[in-house]
Amino acid sequence: MSDHRAAVRHHTLRTGIVEFDNGSGSTLSVPCTIRDVSGTGARVELNASLWVAEQFTLIFRSGLRKGCRIAWRKGRLIGSAFADGYASADEQALMMTAEEQTRHRRGIGARVKAAREARGYTTAQLGEHLSVTPAFLAQAEQGEADIPLYLLMHIADLLMVGLDRLVAGAAPEEVDAA
């Protein structure tokens, strides 16, 4: 289980269902705990040790159904990859609770602020380079506004940091205190 991932992993703790054909034409539904999600898959923990087919449907509490294939197994833990590729932004929003989305947005904002300050930019200066208002940038840094991916990519380039560091890097101390 490597941390070299195609998409950022978001920790969650939600109930779900793993549904699959048992090989004899019957569908089995097995309760599970969804431990993390990303745009490309999920890590699930089965509530009981039992066999699961290589291809299955992961059903989120929100009702979202994602076709999956097993990427790895370790005891009751299963790493799954979404069969249809990258999940849309709407699907990803359904995979996390509002609290988890808020925590993630605040983390991104705090990392953007830390990178901006490390490079010596004010919100007005960075906003001018990005063609956004300082007020929007301040809201984004506080986690009160979503920063679109294209804008995060531009921020990463301007501040000379990796996009992965802004999205999923170590949390600045302000985030831990929040």
Side-chain angles (χ1 to χ4, degrees), residues 2-168:
S2 169
D3 271 348
H4 302 289
R5 302 177 182 284
V8 177
R9 176 176 58 185
H10 306 286
H11 298 288
T12 186
L13 193 59
R14 304 188 76 187
T15 58
I17 296 174
V18 171
E19 189 176 85
F20 58 94
D21 184 328
N22 70 358
S24 66
S26 297
T27 300
L28 290 179
S29 297
V30 179
C32 68
T33 302
I34 302 167
R35 295 284 177 182
D36 355 275
V37 295
S38 74
T40 58
R43 179 173 57 125
V44 299
E45 182 177 8
L46 299 175
N47 294 351
S49 287
L50 81 110
W51 176 84
V52 172
E54 290 296 315
Q55 305 261 342
F56 61 91
T57 300
L58 180 57
I59 305 169
F60 291 83
R61 197 162 146 184
S62 64
L64 175 67
R65 300 172 68 87
K66 290 296 285 179
C68 298
R69 65 173 176 69
I70 294 179
W72 56 265
R73 295 177 198 240
K74 185 176 182 181
R76 294 185 313 162
L77 289 176
I78 295 175
S80 66
F82 297 141
D84 60 354
Y86 211 85
S88 71
D90 289 340
E91 288 176 325
Q92 289 182 53
L94 291 173
M95 293 178 196
M96 292 194 306
T97 65
E99 179 183 320
E100 292 162 343
Q101 292 174 44
T102 299
R103 188 174 50 239
H104 181 64
R105 190 173 51 248
R106 283 184 182 148
I108 290 172
R111 288 186 290 275
V112 167
K113 180 179 180 180
R116 175 184 57 77
E117 289 175 343
R119 297 294 295 165
Y121 283 96
T122 65
T123 54
Q125 291 169 327
L126 185 58
E128 186 177 329
H129 285 293
L130 298 170
S131 299
V132 299
T133 66
F136 168 78
L137 199 52
Q139 285 181 320
E141 288 181 353
Q142 293 300 310
E144 296 168 3
D146 285 321
I147 306 172
L149 181 58
Y150 77 90
L151 198 54
L152 277 172
M153 292 168 64
H154 196 159
I155 292 168
D157 287 344
L158 284 171
L159 301 179
M160 296 191 280
V161 297
L163 180 61
D164 57 339
R165 181 172 152 203
L166 290 180
V167 174

